[in-house]
Amino acid sequence: MEDPTVARARTPHPPTHAGTVGRERAATSTPETVVAPPVPQVSHPSESGSRETAVTVEATDFSFWYGANQALKQINLKVPSRKVTALIGPSGCGKSTFLRSINRMNDLIPGTRHDGDIELDGESLFSPDQDVVRLRRRVGMVFQKSNPFPKSIFENVAYGPRVNRLVDSRRELEDLVEHSLKRAALWDEVKDRLDKSALGLSGGQQQRLCIARALAVEPEVVLMDEPASALDPIATQKIEELIYELKSDYTIVIVTHNMQQAARVSDRTAFFYLGELIEVGNTDVIFTNPKKEQTEAYITGRFG
Amino acid sequence: MTDAINRRRKIQNTVWLTLTGVASLLVVVPLILIFYHLISSGAGALNVAFFTRLPAPVGETGGGMANALLGTAQLVFYAGLFGIPIAVAVGVFMAEAGRTRFGSFVRLVADVMNGIPSIVVGIFVWAWVVVAMGGFSLLAGAIALAVMLIPMVARTTEEMVRLVPKELREGGQALGFTRWRTTLGIVLPAAKSGILTGVLVALARIAGETAPLLFTAFGNPFWEWRLNEPVASLPLLIYQYAISPYDDWHRQAWAASLVLIGLVLVVNVLARSIFKNPYRSR
């Protein structure tokens, strides 16, 4: 399961991006797919072998309004499993709105409405029997501004699994906390002060703690809203390496204003402009040979 | 030309800064005078007996205010016991549902209640509790003080809960927490120090209230522990002693005032040291 190339996270693109939009659907029904815990639902194509990729999140004609203001216009986008999909575009283009629609965080804002649909593993996010609390457990989120709870480091990670009753004993909880902190590459830095306040950590450590917290409730998808925009280059690099490692187990969608970051960490890139999805494709293609003029203008810094 | 304008601006600046400075001094001076006066008139009457003995019978000198100290503590304790949970709950409601019609109605009610003269609260509690119970009581006094406390604490709780960054709330909900779990487990702990400060300031404030106790707790020359009996309190005893014709009682009233204002000061300083907003400093 561990890809040996994972350690070299600075490699901008893994060798293959085999899944094309047209083929992705097929994989969900491919019989010989392997089910890999702890993520139960998807096939797990290895980085180099399989030519097909399962789709985890699929938006169909998805539109979104804040009051009278339409923020998203008929978005059609497929997010492949266990890949990093970057959403880029100038401020106000709707990329964050789209991201926050995937775990329905926009529900919290009064006066919003939507049209069309987003499916998670073929299941509509907006169907009446969708439990939004359960949905948000399956789709974790990391925010732009690190937001650790005013609790100890341990409690920050332990609170989610405990509330969601994912563990039966203290022992299990401790294991899960340790595992999550290790996954977030934070364990070695905090293992001796787990009972200290999380607010005493540095900005980069706080953000990795928030990632650990999100991973602790065992999500399938992790949404990241400009996770490194408030961090210095070294902390940013750590977060990027982490994203690169996490994609072997999680489907990741990341919003970023940083073109280099999108190019470095993502497998696929979607360019949003004025509420529309202008272009989506493999990251190397988008950055070297975009089809649309607007995309090229944006990534070369001519506007935005 | 420009020199003249510049000079004018400098003079204006000095004038206005001086005016605000003088106004600030005017605020500080009364407090210093109050303390000076209380200490010079009351410190002499502060002795061990003051804190340990019951009031002396009329005509005798000596005695103390131990029962009134206890009574004030009891009244504040019960008022807090009844009032704080309600006030915090209302404050959370106003912060969470403040935009709804009912939410803004509740806020209006809280603001009006904050402005109600305390004597009116006393009369109201007299009519609804004292008359119904058939007599003055510690319970009625505590209810009157709780009625004073609830709008104060509710409003500070609301402000403090609103200060909690929305990212923190979203962080909880993004983990699959329900709204009440997020509020109770994340938002309230984050607002804890601010709420505690508001509670302490409000407790200090009601500890000095006199009017609501006049026809509720009434006063009592003896020790009293029962909820359904009248009870002594420092503010009432100050009032009673101050309007008496005896010099010794006047001295004791000064001493009691000194104790009361000292308590308020200590609690306020304590409240200030507790209050820190971790999201502001870092």
Side-chain angles (χ1 to χ4, degrees):
Chain A
M1 191 150 141
E2 281 292 322
D3 186 324
T5 64
V6 150
R8 285 193 307 280
R10 310 307 298 170
T11 313
H13 312 297
T16 53
H17 301 279
T20 60
V21 175
R23 255 187 247 129
E24 283 159 6
R25 288 300 283 179
T28 27
S29 55
T30 307
E32 66 271 1
T33 51
V34 183
V35 177
V39 186
Q41 88 295 358
V42 286
S43 64
H44 183 218
S46 77
E47 275 293 314
S48 50
S50 167
R51 288 158 50 81
E52 286 141 353
T53 310
V55 174
T56 296
V57 177
E58 178 170 8
T60 313
D61 288 335
F62 186 76
S63 300
F64 194 88
W65 288 264
Y66 296 102
N69 178 20
Q70 184 167 9
L72 290 174
K73 295 170 185 163
Q74 307 225 317
I75 305 296
N76 287 285
L77 179 64
K78 293 172 181 172
V79 175
S81 295
R82 302 190 184 206
K83 300 267 184 202
V84 178
T85 301
L87 311 181
I88 61 169
S91 295
C93 69
K95 56 193 187 304
S96 281
T97 302
F98 183 75
L99 188 81
R100 292 167 57 93
S101 295
I102 300 175
N103 65 346
R104 287 181 56 182
M105 282 308 272
N106 286 329
D107 285 16
L108 306 175
I109 302 168
T112 56
R113 69 189 173 90
H114 72 94
D115 192 32
D117 198 12
I118 300 177
E119 289 179 351
L120 175 64
D121 299 327
E123 188 185 320
S124 169
L125 299 189
F126 299 98
S127 79
D129 46 310
Q130 178 66 255
D131 176 3
V132 70
V133 168
R134 186 173 146 267
L135 168 70
R136 292 199 187 123
R137 194 169 81 57
R138 295 173 63 194
V139 183
M141 187 158 191
V142 177
F143 296 81
Q144 178 175 7
K145 196 176 155 228
S146 62
N147 55 354
F149 302 141
K151 296 172 181 290
S152 71
I153 293 167
F154 183 88
E155 276 302 312
N156 260 276
V157 184
Y159 201 28
R162 194 184 283 143
V163 167
N164 288 300
R165 296 183 199 286
L166 299 181
V167 288
D168 297 324
S169 67
R170 176 79 193 178
R171 184 73 234 150
E172 265 183 68
L173 184 64
E174 282 170 3
D175 287 346
L176 181 56
V177 168
E178 180 175 340
H179 178 74
S180 305
L181 285 168
K182 278 179 174 161
R183 289 255 44 185
L186 188 61
W187 175 251
D188 290 336
E189 289 159 63
V190 301
K191 62 173 185 248
D192 298 324
R193 47 168 173 160
L194 290 174
D195 55 340
K196 296 283 191 310
S197 168
L199 300 174
L201 295 173
S202 73
Q205 288 173 328
Q206 287 192 5
Q207 194 60 299
R208 276 179 284 147
L209 180 67
C210 291
I211 293 174
R213 184 176 77 188
L215 299 182
V217 296
E218 294 167 5
E220 298 154 35
V221 181
V222 179
L223 308 175
M224 299 187 172
D225 192 354
E226 297 185 51
S229 66
L231 303 179
D232 66 42
I234 293 166
T236 300
Q237 183 182 341
K238 282 192 175 152
I239 299 281
E240 288 183 9
E241 284 169 2
L242 183 56
I243 292 169
Y244 202 86
E245 292 212 8
L246 290 176
K247 74 172 178 180
S248 57
D249 288 327
Y250 305 91
T251 303
I252 296 173
V253 186
I254 176 172
V255 162
T256 177
H257 274 291
N258 182 331
M259 292 303 112
Q260 288 75 29
Q261 184 170 76
R264 283 192 299 259
V265 303
S266 72
D267 303 304
R268 291 181 63 80
T269 297
F271 172 60
F272 284 71
Y273 184 56
L274 296 177
E276 289 181 66
L277 176 60
I278 304 295
E279 188 170 354
V280 57
N282 288 340
T283 297
D284 46 2
V285 176
I286 292 279
F287 277 89
T288 55
N289 193 14
K291 291 186 188 64
K292 301 275 174 61
E293 204 180 313
Q294 285 158 307
T295 314
E296 192 185 352
Y298 182 70
I299 59 176
T300 55
R302 269 182 278 143
F303 78 95
Chain B
M1 172 65 191
T2 46
D3 272 0
I5 289 177
N6 265 338
R7 203 162 49 241
R8 238 181 84 113
R9 290 174 58 184
K10 274 183 185 162
I11 291 170
Q12 280 179 336
N13 186 40
T14 313
V15 168
W16 286 110
L17 278 181
T18 311
L19 278 179
T20 54
V22 169
S24 308
L25 264 184
L26 284 179
V27 173
V28 178
V29 167
L31 185 69
I32 293 171
L33 284 181
I34 288 170
F35 264 105
Y36 172 74
H37 203 93
L38 285 179
I39 289 170
S40 62
S41 314
L46 275 185
N47 49 34
V48 176
F50 180 88
F51 292 102
T52 54
R53 306 254 318 260
L54 288 176
V58 178
E60 287 179 30
T61 55
M65 291 193 172
N67 65 329
L69 278 167
L70 176 73
T72 287
Q74 288 167 316
L75 284 164
V76 170
F77 172 79
Y78 285 113
L81 191 69
F82 305 146
I84 292 169
I86 299 175
V88 170
V90 171
V92 168
F93 178 81
M94 289 193 294
E96 296 276 328
R99 283 190 218 173
T100 63
R101 192 167 288 206
F102 185 60
S104 44
F105 174 71
V106 171
R107 187 176 307 108
L108 177 73
V109 170
D111 284 343
V112 171
M113 276 179 67
N114 249 333
I116 288 182
S118 52
I119 189 87
V120 176
V121 172
I123 293 173
F124 159 79
V125 173
W126 176 82
W128 284 84
V129 181
V130 174
V131 172
M133 285 180 63
F136 303 113
S137 63
L138 169 55
L139 181 68
I143 290 176
L145 292 185
V147 171
M148 303 285 302
L149 172 128
I150 287 171
M152 288 189 263
V153 173
R155 282 298 255 149
T156 40
T157 301
E158 181 196 2
E159 299 297 330
M160 292 306 136
V161 169
R162 279 181 193 276
L163 270 185
V164 175
K166 78 171 196 315
E167 288 84 7
L168 212 56
R169 185 164 314 184
E170 288 184 338
Q173 292 187 309
L175 284 181
F177 292 3
T178 54
R179 202 167 155 190
W180 79 266
R181 167 76 71 181
T182 309
T183 302
L184 226 62
I186 297 165
V187 176
L188 270 185
K192 187 175 58 186
S193 72
I195 294 173
L196 197 56
T197 303
V199 165
L200 283 178
V201 170
L203 288 179
R205 167 82 203 281
I206 61 167
E209 283 291 343
T210 319
L213 300 178
L214 281 174
F215 352 94
T216 53
F218 189 71
N220 186 331
F222 306 107
W223 299 103
E224 189 53 72
W225 289 95
R226 284 163 295 184
L227 272 172
N228 59 349
E229 292 294 330
V231 71
S233 68
L234 275 184
L236 277 182
L237 213 56
I238 292 169
Y239 173 70
Q240 208 180 317
Y241 277 28
I243 61 171
S244 76
Y246 313 111
D247 283 344
D248 190 44
W249 281 20
H250 291 170
R251 273 193 299 278
Q252 290 203 19
W254 285 117
S257 306
L258 184 62
V259 168
L260 198 54
I261 207 167
L263 274 176
V264 170
L265 190 77
V266 166
V267 170
N268 270 294
V269 169
L270 194 68
R272 269 169 185 277
S273 70
I274 288 173
F275 182 66
K276 51 185 195 305
N277 187 342
Y279 301 98
R280 260 200 221 136
S281 54
R282 270 188 67 89

